[in-house]
Amino acid sequence: MTATASGMFNASTTPNLEEEDLIYFCKVIEDRAGISLKSTKRDLVRTRLRSRVTDTGFNSYGDYRNYLMTLPKDHAEWENFTNLLTTNKTDFFREPKHFEYLVQKILPEWLKNKERTFKVWSAASSTGEEAFTLAMVLARYLPKDRDFKILATDIDTDVLSTAQNSVYPISKKPEIPSEYYTPCIDLGKGDARGWFRMKPHLREKIIFKQHNLIDRTSPGNGVFDLVVCRNVLIYFSPDTIDFVQKKIFTTVKPNGYLFIGHSESFQGIPHQWSSAGPSVFRKGS
Ligand SMILES: C[S@@+](CC[C@H](N)C(=O)[O-])C[C@H]1O[C@@H](n2cnc3c(N)ncnc32)[C@H](O)[C@@H]1O
């Protein structure tokens, strides 16, 4: 979710979000993105859509709803609507145990095989911190004769632009362990003071691309050594989690791994993964 300053209105002039508008917005975001907001998220929906209602020239959520109802499925306004209702919080080295697991367990085992390129999918990558964390770790721990590639996807086109640009505010630098500063980041100078950019040798390893996890399309069959799909399943219903975990299963190589967020689980969902550690799953050979 990215807010635009223009069109923000004073709290006293905020139009009322009627129950029928809320129900419609919740239904549509679930149909389009799988995000299950439930009507308890009234304040979230009201705040996130507020500036969009005025930016599009409407006086009420109801008028904006009526407008959306007239639009074809591929109209550009749906992208704005979806981008506003996603939650994009992320950090570099978030849930660091996963990166320790990658270095201590997955890579030593993978290095025993003859493959040259370790392939990762960061599914729901937000602004790119997760993909760059993977890139920093892989660049540091893989030997020179091995390579890696990362596919980083998200439904939200605004966060993908930020990720593609790979420029972050200096306030995020402490999220990165200091041993990675020199090899991985360039500090901004002049007008770019207060920002840093990920180095080109990391940027060139990542492809950022739009992908909706609830689409039937898939980025490949049996191609990834590791899929990282963290902190997005919490927004999905059990049926959607089931659909997504099955889809990811087909994209992973035999013996490949899946990381999910520490607050997520497949509890109550029959699946084919073997549990390999906290929030770590493995596909059998
Ligand atoms: C909270 S962020 C998690 C980012 C990162 N994986 C992490 O753990 O730090 C959740 C991301 O999931 C994305 N998302 C939500 N629904 C999605 C869908 N149906 N397909 C792809 N991405 C989706 C959102 O746009 C958001 O950027």
PDB file of all heavy atoms in Angstrom, residues 17-46 49 65 68 78 81 85 235:
ATOM      1  N   LEU A  17     -18.051   5.044   5.429  1.00  0.00           N
ATOM      2  CA  LEU A  17     -17.944   3.799   4.661  1.00  0.00           C
ATOM      3  C   LEU A  17     -19.148   2.933   5.027  1.00  0.00           C
ATOM      4  O   LEU A  17     -19.209   2.368   6.122  1.00  0.00           O
ATOM      5  CB  LEU A  17     -16.630   3.085   4.984  1.00  0.00           C
ATOM      6  CG  LEU A  17     -16.409   1.720   4.330  1.00  0.00           C
ATOM      7  CD1 LEU A  17     -16.350   1.825   2.806  1.00  0.00           C
ATOM      8  CD2 LEU A  17     -15.118   1.097   4.842  1.00  0.00           C
ATOM      9  N   GLU A  18     -20.122   2.881   4.128  1.00  0.00           N
ATOM     10  CA  GLU A  18     -21.346   2.121   4.403  1.00  0.00           C
ATOM     11  C   GLU A  18     -21.054   0.624   4.364  1.00  0.00           C
ATOM     12  O   GLU A  18     -20.150   0.186   3.659  1.00  0.00           O
ATOM     13  CB  GLU A  18     -22.429   2.435   3.359  1.00  0.00           C
ATOM     14  CG  GLU A  18     -22.800   3.895   3.222  1.00  0.00           C
ATOM     15  CD  GLU A  18     -23.518   4.458   4.443  1.00  0.00           C
ATOM     16  OE1 GLU A  18     -23.973   3.651   5.293  1.00  0.00           O
ATOM     17  OE2 GLU A  18     -23.607   5.685   4.554  1.00  0.00           O
ATOM     18  N   GLU A  19     -21.877  -0.144   5.110  1.00  0.00           N
ATOM     19  CA  GLU A  19     -21.682  -1.592   5.201  1.00  0.00           C
ATOM     20  C   GLU A  19     -21.652  -2.252   3.808  1.00  0.00           C
ATOM     21  O   GLU A  19     -20.804  -3.097   3.525  1.00  0.00           O
ATOM     22  CB  GLU A  19     -22.819  -2.193   6.061  1.00  0.00           C
ATOM     23  CG  GLU A  19     -22.632  -3.643   6.438  1.00  0.00           C
ATOM     24  CD  GLU A  19     -21.436  -3.920   7.349  1.00  0.00           C
ATOM     25  OE1 GLU A  19     -20.914  -2.983   7.994  1.00  0.00           O
ATOM     26  OE2 GLU A  19     -21.016  -5.083   7.391  1.00  0.00           O
ATOM     27  N   GLU A  20     -22.562  -1.820   2.927  1.00  0.00           N
ATOM     28  CA  GLU A  20     -22.620  -2.470   1.601  1.00  0.00           C
ATOM     29  C   GLU A  20     -21.381  -2.167   0.760  1.00  0.00           C
ATOM     30  O   GLU A  20     -20.939  -3.004  -0.035  1.00  0.00           O
ATOM     31  CB  GLU A  20     -23.901  -2.088   0.839  1.00  0.00           C
ATOM     32  CG  GLU A  20     -24.062  -0.617   0.627  1.00  0.00           C
ATOM     33  CD  GLU A  20     -25.412  -0.224   0.033  1.00  0.00           C
ATOM     34  OE1 GLU A  20     -26.158  -1.097  -0.417  1.00  0.00           O
ATOM     35  OE2 GLU A  20     -25.710   0.983   0.024  1.00  0.00           O
ATOM     36  N   ASP A  21     -20.776  -0.966   0.979  1.00  0.00           N
ATOM     37  CA  ASP A  21     -19.537  -0.639   0.262  1.00  0.00           C
ATOM     38  C   ASP A  21     -18.399  -1.524   0.792  1.00  0.00           C
ATOM     39  O   ASP A  21     -17.634  -2.100   0.026  1.00  0.00           O
ATOM     40  CB  ASP A  21     -19.154   0.834   0.459  1.00  0.00           C
ATOM     41  CG  ASP A  21     -20.243   1.781  -0.012  1.00  0.00           C
ATOM     42  OD1 ASP A  21     -21.000   1.394  -0.935  1.00  0.00           O
ATOM     43  OD2 ASP A  21     -20.356   2.886   0.544  1.00  0.00           O
ATOM     44  N   LEU A  22     -18.339  -1.618   2.127  1.00  0.00           N
ATOM     45  CA  LEU A  22     -17.298  -2.437   2.763  1.00  0.00           C
ATOM     46  C   LEU A  22     -17.378  -3.889   2.272  1.00  0.00           C
ATOM     47  O   LEU A  22     -16.367  -4.489   1.893  1.00  0.00           O
ATOM     48  CB  LEU A  22     -17.467  -2.383   4.289  1.00  0.00           C
ATOM     49  CG  LEU A  22     -16.480  -3.218   5.096  1.00  0.00           C
ATOM     50  CD1 LEU A  22     -15.053  -2.713   4.923  1.00  0.00           C
ATOM     51  CD2 LEU A  22     -16.850  -3.198   6.582  1.00  0.00           C
ATOM     52  N   ILE A  23     -18.593  -4.430   2.257  1.00  0.00           N
ATOM     53  CA  ILE A  23     -18.778  -5.823   1.823  1.00  0.00           C
ATOM     54  C   ILE A  23     -18.314  -5.994   0.379  1.00  0.00           C
ATOM     55  O   ILE A  23     -17.617  -6.956   0.038  1.00  0.00           O
ATOM     56  CB  ILE A  23     -20.250  -6.270   2.008  1.00  0.00           C
ATOM     57  CG1 ILE A  23     -20.561  -6.393   3.505  1.00  0.00           C
ATOM     58  CG2 ILE A  23     -20.544  -7.592   1.285  1.00  0.00           C
ATOM     59  CD1 ILE A  23     -22.036  -6.539   3.836  1.00  0.00           C
ATOM     60  N   TYR A  24     -18.633  -5.022  -0.469  1.00  0.00           N
ATOM     61  CA  TYR A  24     -18.222  -5.096  -1.878  1.00  0.00           C
ATOM     62  C   TYR A  24     -16.689  -5.051  -1.997  1.00  0.00           C
ATOM     63  O   TYR A  24     -16.086  -5.894  -2.667  1.00  0.00           O
ATOM     64  CB  TYR A  24     -18.856  -3.942  -2.676  1.00  0.00           C
ATOM     65  CG  TYR A  24     -18.350  -3.876  -4.095  1.00  0.00           C
ATOM     66  CD1 TYR A  24     -18.823  -4.749  -5.069  1.00  0.00           C
ATOM     67  CD2 TYR A  24     -17.354  -2.947  -4.459  1.00  0.00           C
ATOM     68  CE1 TYR A  24     -18.326  -4.710  -6.375  1.00  0.00           C
ATOM     69  CE2 TYR A  24     -16.859  -2.903  -5.757  1.00  0.00           C
ATOM     70  CZ  TYR A  24     -17.349  -3.787  -6.702  1.00  0.00           C
ATOM     71  OH  TYR A  24     -16.847  -3.756  -7.988  1.00  0.00           O
ATOM     72  N   PHE A  25     -16.048  -4.082  -1.319  1.00  0.00           N
ATOM     73  CA  PHE A  25     -14.584  -3.952  -1.431  1.00  0.00           C
ATOM     74  C   PHE A  25     -13.898  -5.231  -0.926  1.00  0.00           C
ATOM     75  O   PHE A  25     -12.929  -5.701  -1.521  1.00  0.00           O
ATOM     76  CB  PHE A  25     -14.077  -2.726  -0.647  1.00  0.00           C
ATOM     77  CG  PHE A  25     -14.570  -1.394  -1.171  1.00  0.00           C
ATOM     78  CD1 PHE A  25     -14.950  -0.377  -0.297  1.00  0.00           C
ATOM     79  CD2 PHE A  25     -14.643  -1.155  -2.545  1.00  0.00           C
ATOM     80  CE1 PHE A  25     -15.399   0.853  -0.779  1.00  0.00           C
ATOM     81  CE2 PHE A  25     -15.093   0.080  -3.037  1.00  0.00           C
ATOM     82  CZ  PHE A  25     -15.473   1.083  -2.149  1.00  0.00           C
ATOM     83  N   CYS A  26     -14.404  -5.780   0.180  1.00  0.00           N
ATOM     84  CA  CYS A  26     -13.795  -7.003   0.742  1.00  0.00           C
ATOM     85  C   CYS A  26     -13.953  -8.175  -0.223  1.00  0.00           C
ATOM     86  O   CYS A  26     -13.042  -8.979  -0.403  1.00  0.00           O
ATOM     87  CB  CYS A  26     -14.411  -7.367   2.094  1.00  0.00           C
ATOM     88  SG  CYS A  26     -13.972  -6.203   3.388  1.00  0.00           S
ATOM     89  N   LYS A  27     -15.119  -8.281  -0.845  1.00  0.00           N
ATOM     90  CA  LYS A  27     -15.364  -9.389  -1.770  1.00  0.00           C
ATOM     91  C   LYS A  27     -14.435  -9.277  -2.989  1.00  0.00           C
ATOM     92  O   LYS A  27     -13.836 -10.257  -3.429  1.00  0.00           O
ATOM     93  CB  LYS A  27     -16.831  -9.401  -2.213  1.00  0.00           C
ATOM     94  CG  LYS A  27     -17.085 -10.499  -3.228  1.00  0.00           C
ATOM     95  CD  LYS A  27     -18.521 -10.667  -3.611  1.00  0.00           C
ATOM     96  CE  LYS A  27     -18.763 -11.775  -4.617  1.00  0.00           C
ATOM     97  NZ  LYS A  27     -17.662 -12.206  -5.432  1.00  0.00           N
ATOM     98  N   VAL A  28     -14.312  -8.052  -3.506  1.00  0.00           N
ATOM     99  CA  VAL A  28     -13.527  -7.881  -4.719  1.00  0.00           C
ATOM    100  C   VAL A  28     -12.037  -8.140  -4.468  1.00  0.00           C
ATOM    101  O   VAL A  28     -11.370  -8.790  -5.277  1.00  0.00           O
ATOM    102  CB  VAL A  28     -13.751  -6.471  -5.321  1.00  0.00           C
ATOM    103  CG1 VAL A  28     -12.926  -6.281  -6.557  1.00  0.00           C
ATOM    104  CG2 VAL A  28     -15.210  -6.298  -5.675  1.00  0.00           C
ATOM    105  N   ILE A  29     -11.527  -7.676  -3.328  1.00  0.00           N
ATOM    106  CA  ILE A  29     -10.085  -7.886  -3.082  1.00  0.00           C
ATOM    107  C   ILE A  29      -9.825  -9.383  -2.839  1.00  0.00           C
ATOM    108  O   ILE A  29      -8.774  -9.909  -3.212  1.00  0.00           O
ATOM    109  CB  ILE A  29      -9.518  -6.992  -1.936  1.00  0.00           C
ATOM    110  CG1 ILE A  29      -7.978  -6.961  -1.982  1.00  0.00           C
ATOM    111  CG2 ILE A  29      -9.980  -7.415  -0.559  1.00  0.00           C
ATOM    112  CD1 ILE A  29      -7.364  -6.367  -3.210  1.00  0.00           C
ATOM    113  N   GLU A  30     -10.807 -10.083  -2.271  1.00  0.00           N
ATOM    114  CA  GLU A  30     -10.625 -11.526  -2.094  1.00  0.00           C
ATOM    115  C   GLU A  30     -10.666 -12.238  -3.452  1.00  0.00           C
ATOM    116  O   GLU A  30      -9.852 -13.112  -3.731  1.00  0.00           O
ATOM    117  CB  GLU A  30     -11.681 -12.117  -1.147  1.00  0.00           C
ATOM    118  CG  GLU A  30     -11.500 -13.621  -0.983  1.00  0.00           C
ATOM    119  CD  GLU A  30     -11.793 -14.165   0.402  1.00  0.00           C
ATOM    120  OE1 GLU A  30     -12.515 -13.497   1.169  1.00  0.00           O
ATOM    121  OE2 GLU A  30     -11.296 -15.274   0.707  1.00  0.00           O
ATOM    122  N   ASP A  31     -11.585 -11.828  -4.318  1.00  0.00           N
ATOM    123  CA  ASP A  31     -11.670 -12.448  -5.650  1.00  0.00           C
ATOM    124  C   ASP A  31     -10.408 -12.185  -6.475  1.00  0.00           C
ATOM    125  O   ASP A  31      -9.931 -13.057  -7.180  1.00  0.00           O
ATOM    126  CB  ASP A  31     -12.865 -11.897  -6.441  1.00  0.00           C
ATOM    127  CG  ASP A  31     -14.187 -12.381  -5.867  1.00  0.00           C
ATOM    128  OD1 ASP A  31     -14.168 -13.292  -5.021  1.00  0.00           O
ATOM    129  OD2 ASP A  31     -15.230 -11.824  -6.267  1.00  0.00           O
ATOM    130  N   ARG A  32      -9.868 -10.971  -6.355  1.00  0.00           N
ATOM    131  CA  ARG A  32      -8.737 -10.605  -7.225  1.00  0.00           C
ATOM    132  C   ARG A  32      -7.393 -11.045  -6.682  1.00  0.00           C
ATOM    133  O   ARG A  32      -6.494 -11.394  -7.445  1.00  0.00           O
ATOM    134  CB  ARG A  32      -8.690  -9.078  -7.426  1.00  0.00           C
ATOM    135  CG  ARG A  32      -9.919  -8.522  -8.109  1.00  0.00           C
ATOM    136  CD  ARG A  32      -9.742  -7.063  -8.453  1.00  0.00           C
ATOM    137  NE  ARG A  32      -8.824  -6.894  -9.562  1.00  0.00           N
ATOM    138  CZ  ARG A  32      -9.155  -6.942 -10.851  1.00  0.00           C
ATOM    139  NH1 ARG A  32     -10.393  -7.114 -11.202  1.00  0.00           N
ATOM    140  NH2 ARG A  32      -8.243  -6.791 -11.784  1.00  0.00           N
ATOM    141  N   ALA A  33      -7.229 -10.991  -5.333  1.00  0.00           N
ATOM    142  CA  ALA A  33      -5.894 -11.250  -4.746  1.00  0.00           C
ATOM    143  C   ALA A  33      -5.906 -12.360  -3.705  1.00  0.00           C
ATOM    144  O   ALA A  33      -4.841 -12.727  -3.202  1.00  0.00           O
ATOM    145  CB  ALA A  33      -5.353  -9.957  -4.121  1.00  0.00           C
ATOM    146  N   GLY A  34      -7.074 -12.843  -3.331  1.00  0.00           N
ATOM    147  CA  GLY A  34      -7.145 -13.871  -2.285  1.00  0.00           C
ATOM    148  C   GLY A  34      -7.093 -13.277  -0.884  1.00  0.00           C
ATOM    149  O   GLY A  34      -7.167 -14.000   0.107  1.00  0.00           O
ATOM    150  N   ILE A  35      -6.958 -11.951  -0.799  1.00  0.00           N
ATOM    151  CA  ILE A  35      -6.811 -11.305   0.509  1.00  0.00           C
ATOM    152  C   ILE A  35      -8.171 -11.264   1.209  1.00  0.00           C
ATOM    153  O   ILE A  35      -9.124 -10.677   0.704  1.00  0.00           O
ATOM    154  CB  ILE A  35      -6.236  -9.881   0.348  1.00  0.00           C
ATOM    155  CG1 ILE A  35      -4.829  -9.954  -0.265  1.00  0.00           C
ATOM    156  CG2 ILE A  35      -6.221  -9.137   1.669  1.00  0.00           C
ATOM    157  CD1 ILE A  35      -4.251  -8.606  -0.704  1.00  0.00           C
ATOM    158  N   SER A  36      -8.216 -11.936   2.372  1.00  0.00           N
ATOM    159  CA  SER A  36      -9.474 -12.083   3.086  1.00  0.00           C
ATOM    160  C   SER A  36      -9.527 -11.055   4.212  1.00  0.00           C
ATOM    161  O   SER A  36      -8.978 -11.271   5.283  1.00  0.00           O
ATOM    162  CB  SER A  36      -9.519 -13.522   3.626  1.00  0.00           C
ATOM    163  OG  SER A  36     -10.624 -13.706   4.428  1.00  0.00           O
ATOM    164  N   LEU A  37     -10.128  -9.898   3.933  1.00  0.00           N
ATOM    165  CA  LEU A  37     -10.078  -8.800   4.908  1.00  0.00           C
ATOM    166  C   LEU A  37     -11.150  -8.898   5.987  1.00  0.00           C
ATOM    167  O   LEU A  37     -10.993  -8.361   7.063  1.00  0.00           O
ATOM    168  CB  LEU A  37     -10.201  -7.461   4.191  1.00  0.00           C
ATOM    169  CG  LEU A  37      -8.967  -6.982   3.450  1.00  0.00           C
ATOM    170  CD1 LEU A  37      -9.248  -5.671   2.726  1.00  0.00           C
ATOM    171  CD2 LEU A  37      -7.801  -6.796   4.404  1.00  0.00           C
ATOM    172  N   LYS A  38     -12.239  -9.536   5.701  1.00  0.00           N
ATOM    173  CA  LYS A  38     -13.382  -9.621   6.625  1.00  0.00           C
ATOM    174  C   LYS A  38     -13.869  -8.216   6.969  1.00  0.00           C
ATOM    175  O   LYS A  38     -13.114  -7.262   6.944  1.00  0.00           O
ATOM    176  CB  LYS A  38     -13.023 -10.364   7.919  1.00  0.00           C
ATOM    177  CG  LYS A  38     -12.301 -11.669   7.695  1.00  0.00           C
ATOM    178  CD  LYS A  38     -13.194 -12.851   8.024  1.00  0.00           C
ATOM    179  CE  LYS A  38     -12.655 -14.131   7.473  1.00  0.00           C
ATOM    180  NZ  LYS A  38     -11.297 -14.436   7.824  1.00  0.00           N
ATOM    181  N   SER A  39     -15.106  -8.111   7.305  1.00  0.00           N
ATOM    182  CA  SER A  39     -15.654  -6.764   7.540  1.00  0.00           C
ATOM    183  C   SER A  39     -15.160  -6.145   8.850  1.00  0.00           C
ATOM    184  O   SER A  39     -15.404  -4.976   9.113  1.00  0.00           O
ATOM    185  CB  SER A  39     -17.169  -6.778   7.450  1.00  0.00           C
ATOM    186  OG  SER A  39     -17.651  -8.045   7.713  1.00  0.00           O
ATOM    187  N   THR A  40     -14.373  -6.919   9.660  1.00  0.00           N
ATOM    188  CA  THR A  40     -13.790  -6.321  10.871  1.00  0.00           C
ATOM    189  C   THR A  40     -12.704  -5.325  10.507  1.00  0.00           C
ATOM    190  O   THR A  40     -12.237  -4.568  11.349  1.00  0.00           O
ATOM    191  CB  THR A  40     -13.159  -7.415  11.757  1.00  0.00           C
ATOM    192  OG1 THR A  40     -12.286  -8.181  10.928  1.00  0.00           O
ATOM    193  CG2 THR A  40     -14.183  -8.321  12.386  1.00  0.00           C
ATOM    194  N   LYS A  41     -12.272  -5.329   9.246  1.00  0.00           N
ATOM    195  CA  LYS A  41     -11.183  -4.443   8.816  1.00  0.00           C
ATOM    196  C   LYS A  41     -11.723  -3.124   8.278  1.00  0.00           C
ATOM    197  O   LYS A  41     -11.156  -2.537   7.366  1.00  0.00           O
ATOM    198  CB  LYS A  41     -10.331  -5.140   7.749  1.00  0.00           C
ATOM    199  CG  LYS A  41      -9.632  -6.374   8.257  1.00  0.00           C
ATOM    200  CD  LYS A  41      -8.407  -5.999   9.079  1.00  0.00           C
ATOM    201  CE  LYS A  41      -7.721  -7.264   9.562  1.00  0.00           C
ATOM    202  NZ  LYS A  41      -6.574  -7.029  10.377  1.00  0.00           N
ATOM    203  N   ARG A  42     -12.835  -2.671   8.817  1.00  0.00           N
ATOM    204  CA  ARG A  42     -13.473  -1.439   8.332  1.00  0.00           C
ATOM    205  C   ARG A  42     -12.513  -0.253   8.307  1.00  0.00           C
ATOM    206  O   ARG A  42     -12.415   0.452   7.310  1.00  0.00           O
ATOM    207  CB  ARG A  42     -14.676  -1.126   9.240  1.00  0.00           C
ATOM    208  CG  ARG A  42     -15.341   0.217   8.971  1.00  0.00           C
ATOM    209  CD  ARG A  42     -16.520   0.404   9.912  1.00  0.00           C
ATOM    210  NE  ARG A  42     -17.643  -0.432   9.496  1.00  0.00           N
ATOM    211  CZ  ARG A  42     -18.554  -0.073   8.580  1.00  0.00           C
ATOM    212  NH1 ARG A  42     -18.473   1.111   8.010  1.00  0.00           N
ATOM    213  NH2 ARG A  42     -19.521  -0.877   8.255  1.00  0.00           N
ATOM    214  N   ASP A  43     -11.758  -0.042   9.415  1.00  0.00           N
ATOM    215  CA  ASP A  43     -10.869   1.127   9.482  1.00  0.00           C
ATOM    216  C   ASP A  43      -9.768   1.035   8.437  1.00  0.00           C
ATOM    217  O   ASP A  43      -9.402   2.027   7.818  1.00  0.00           O
ATOM    218  CB  ASP A  43     -10.239   1.256  10.877  1.00  0.00           C
ATOM    219  CG  ASP A  43     -11.269   1.774  11.869  1.00  0.00           C
ATOM    220  OD1 ASP A  43     -12.333   2.250  11.418  1.00  0.00           O
ATOM    221  OD2 ASP A  43     -11.020   1.675  13.081  1.00  0.00           O
ATOM    222  N   LEU A  44      -9.258  -0.191   8.261  1.00  0.00           N
ATOM    223  CA  LEU A  44      -8.181  -0.379   7.269  1.00  0.00           C
ATOM    224  C   LEU A  44      -8.688  -0.025   5.869  1.00  0.00           C
ATOM    225  O   LEU A  44      -8.060   0.732   5.141  1.00  0.00           O
ATOM    226  CB  LEU A  44      -7.691  -1.831   7.327  1.00  0.00           C
ATOM    227  CG  LEU A  44      -6.546  -2.221   6.402  1.00  0.00           C
ATOM    228  CD1 LEU A  44      -5.655  -3.264   7.071  1.00  0.00           C
ATOM    229  CD2 LEU A  44      -7.048  -2.793   5.081  1.00  0.00           C
ATOM    230  N   VAL A  45      -9.847  -0.551   5.516  1.00  0.00           N
ATOM    231  CA  VAL A  45     -10.394  -0.301   4.175  1.00  0.00           C
ATOM    232  C   VAL A  45     -10.680   1.193   4.004  1.00  0.00           C
ATOM    233  O   VAL A  45     -10.339   1.800   2.985  1.00  0.00           O
ATOM    234  CB  VAL A  45     -11.662  -1.150   3.927  1.00  0.00           C
ATOM    235  CG1 VAL A  45     -12.322  -0.790   2.603  1.00  0.00           C
ATOM    236  CG2 VAL A  45     -11.330  -2.635   3.962  1.00  0.00           C
ATOM    237  N   ARG A  46     -11.278   1.788   5.034  1.00  0.00           N
ATOM    238  CA  ARG A  46     -11.613   3.213   4.946  1.00  0.00           C
ATOM    239  C   ARG A  46     -10.350   4.055   4.738  1.00  0.00           C
ATOM    240  O   ARG A  46     -10.279   4.897   3.864  1.00  0.00           O
ATOM    241  CB  ARG A  46     -12.329   3.662   6.227  1.00  0.00           C
ATOM    242  CG  ARG A  46     -12.761   5.124   6.131  1.00  0.00           C
ATOM    243  CD  ARG A  46     -13.604   5.630   7.285  1.00  0.00           C
ATOM    244  NE  ARG A  46     -13.314   5.008   8.546  1.00  0.00           N
ATOM    245  CZ  ARG A  46     -14.236   4.614   9.427  1.00  0.00           C
ATOM    246  NH1 ARG A  46     -15.508   4.778   9.161  1.00  0.00           N
ATOM    247  NH2 ARG A  46     -13.886   4.063  10.562  1.00  0.00           N
ATOM    248  N   LEU A  49      -8.501   3.374   1.203  1.00  0.00           N
ATOM    249  CA  LEU A  49      -9.187   3.804  -0.029  1.00  0.00           C
ATOM    250  C   LEU A  49      -9.563   5.291  -0.029  1.00  0.00           C
ATOM    251  O   LEU A  49      -9.999   5.821  -1.047  1.00  0.00           O
ATOM    252  CB  LEU A  49     -10.432   2.955  -0.271  1.00  0.00           C
ATOM    253  CG  LEU A  49     -10.200   1.467  -0.596  1.00  0.00           C
ATOM    254  CD1 LEU A  49     -11.526   0.773  -0.877  1.00  0.00           C
ATOM    255  CD2 LEU A  49      -9.272   1.282  -1.795  1.00  0.00           C
ATOM    256  N   ARG A  65     -17.480   2.835  -5.474  1.00  0.00           N
ATOM    257  CA  ARG A  65     -17.920   1.440  -5.687  1.00  0.00           C
ATOM    258  C   ARG A  65     -18.718   1.312  -6.980  1.00  0.00           C
ATOM    259  O   ARG A  65     -18.469   0.407  -7.791  1.00  0.00           O
ATOM    260  CB  ARG A  65     -18.780   0.957  -4.514  1.00  0.00           C
ATOM    261  CG  ARG A  65     -19.489  -0.365  -4.799  1.00  0.00           C
ATOM    262  CD  ARG A  65     -20.051  -0.988  -3.550  1.00  0.00           C
ATOM    263  NE  ARG A  65     -21.195  -0.291  -3.026  1.00  0.00           N
ATOM    264  CZ  ARG A  65     -22.472  -0.604  -3.302  1.00  0.00           C
ATOM    265  NH1 ARG A  65     -22.744  -1.589  -4.133  1.00  0.00           N
ATOM    266  NH2 ARG A  65     -23.456   0.071  -2.753  1.00  0.00           N
ATOM    267  N   LEU A  68     -16.359   1.369  -9.845  1.00  0.00           N
ATOM    268  CA  LEU A  68     -15.632   0.099 -10.018  1.00  0.00           C
ATOM    269  C   LEU A  68     -16.521  -0.952 -10.671  1.00  0.00           C
ATOM    270  O   LEU A  68     -16.070  -1.730 -11.517  1.00  0.00           O
ATOM    271  CB  LEU A  68     -15.132  -0.433  -8.661  1.00  0.00           C
ATOM    272  CG  LEU A  68     -13.994   0.323  -7.976  1.00  0.00           C
ATOM    273  CD1 LEU A  68     -13.681  -0.308  -6.610  1.00  0.00           C
ATOM    274  CD2 LEU A  68     -12.723   0.343  -8.827  1.00  0.00           C
ATOM    275  N   TRP A  78      -8.212  -1.117 -11.399  1.00  0.00           N
ATOM    276  CA  TRP A  78      -8.138  -2.298 -10.527  1.00  0.00           C
ATOM    277  C   TRP A  78      -6.742  -2.454  -9.933  1.00  0.00           C
ATOM    278  O   TRP A  78      -6.579  -2.964  -8.827  1.00  0.00           O
ATOM    279  CB  TRP A  78      -8.546  -3.564 -11.290  1.00  0.00           C
ATOM    280  CG  TRP A  78     -10.021  -3.611 -11.555  1.00  0.00           C
ATOM    281  CD1 TRP A  78     -10.645  -3.627 -12.764  1.00  0.00           C
ATOM    282  CD2 TRP A  78     -11.063  -3.639 -10.569  1.00  0.00           C
ATOM    283  NE1 TRP A  78     -12.001  -3.660 -12.610  1.00  0.00           N
ATOM    284  CE2 TRP A  78     -12.289  -3.664 -11.270  1.00  0.00           C
ATOM    285  CE3 TRP A  78     -11.082  -3.628  -9.178  1.00  0.00           C
ATOM    286  CZ2 TRP A  78     -13.520  -3.693 -10.619  1.00  0.00           C
ATOM    287  CZ3 TRP A  78     -12.311  -3.658  -8.524  1.00  0.00           C
ATOM    288  CH2 TRP A  78     -13.504  -3.691  -9.243  1.00  0.00           C
ATOM    289  N   PHE A  81      -6.576  -0.050  -7.033  1.00  0.00           N
ATOM    290  CA  PHE A  81      -7.409  -0.598  -5.948  1.00  0.00           C
ATOM    291  C   PHE A  81      -6.644  -1.720  -5.227  1.00  0.00           C
ATOM    292  O   PHE A  81      -6.548  -1.736  -3.997  1.00  0.00           O
ATOM    293  CB  PHE A  81      -8.716  -1.121  -6.568  1.00  0.00           C
ATOM    294  CG  PHE A  81      -9.608  -1.846  -5.616  1.00  0.00           C
ATOM    295  CD1 PHE A  81     -10.463  -1.140  -4.769  1.00  0.00           C
ATOM    296  CD2 PHE A  81      -9.605  -3.228  -5.549  1.00  0.00           C
ATOM    297  CE1 PHE A  81     -11.301  -1.821  -3.884  1.00  0.00           C
ATOM    298  CE2 PHE A  81     -10.432  -3.907  -4.666  1.00  0.00           C
ATOM    299  CZ  PHE A  81     -11.288  -3.198  -3.832  1.00  0.00           C
ATOM    300  N   LEU A  85      -4.857  -2.056  -1.190  1.00  0.00           N
ATOM    301  CA  LEU A  85      -5.355  -2.984  -0.159  1.00  0.00           C
ATOM    302  C   LEU A  85      -4.358  -4.095   0.202  1.00  0.00           C
ATOM    303  O   LEU A  85      -4.664  -4.964   1.013  1.00  0.00           O
ATOM    304  CB  LEU A  85      -6.709  -3.566  -0.568  1.00  0.00           C
ATOM    305  CG  LEU A  85      -7.861  -2.539  -0.531  1.00  0.00           C
ATOM    306  CD1 LEU A  85      -9.177  -3.177  -0.946  1.00  0.00           C
ATOM    307  CD2 LEU A  85      -8.019  -1.897   0.850  1.00  0.00           C
ATOM    308  N   TYR A 235      -2.900 -13.666   5.093  1.00  0.00           N
ATOM    309  CA  TYR A 235      -4.029 -12.890   4.552  1.00  0.00           C
ATOM    310  C   TYR A 235      -5.028 -13.765   3.805  1.00  0.00           C
ATOM    311  O   TYR A 235      -6.053 -13.261   3.345  1.00  0.00           O
ATOM    312  CB  TYR A 235      -3.520 -11.788   3.609  1.00  0.00           C
ATOM    313  CG  TYR A 235      -2.583 -10.842   4.319  1.00  0.00           C
ATOM    314  CD1 TYR A 235      -1.209 -10.905   4.111  1.00  0.00           C
ATOM    315  CD2 TYR A 235      -3.070  -9.912   5.237  1.00  0.00           C
ATOM    316  CE1 TYR A 235      -0.340 -10.053   4.796  1.00  0.00           C
ATOM    317  CE2 TYR A 235      -2.217  -9.069   5.923  1.00  0.00           C
ATOM    318  CZ  TYR A 235      -0.862  -9.143   5.697  1.00  0.00           C
ATOM    319  OH  TYR A 235      -0.012  -8.307   6.376  1.00  0.00           O
TER     320      TYR A 235
END
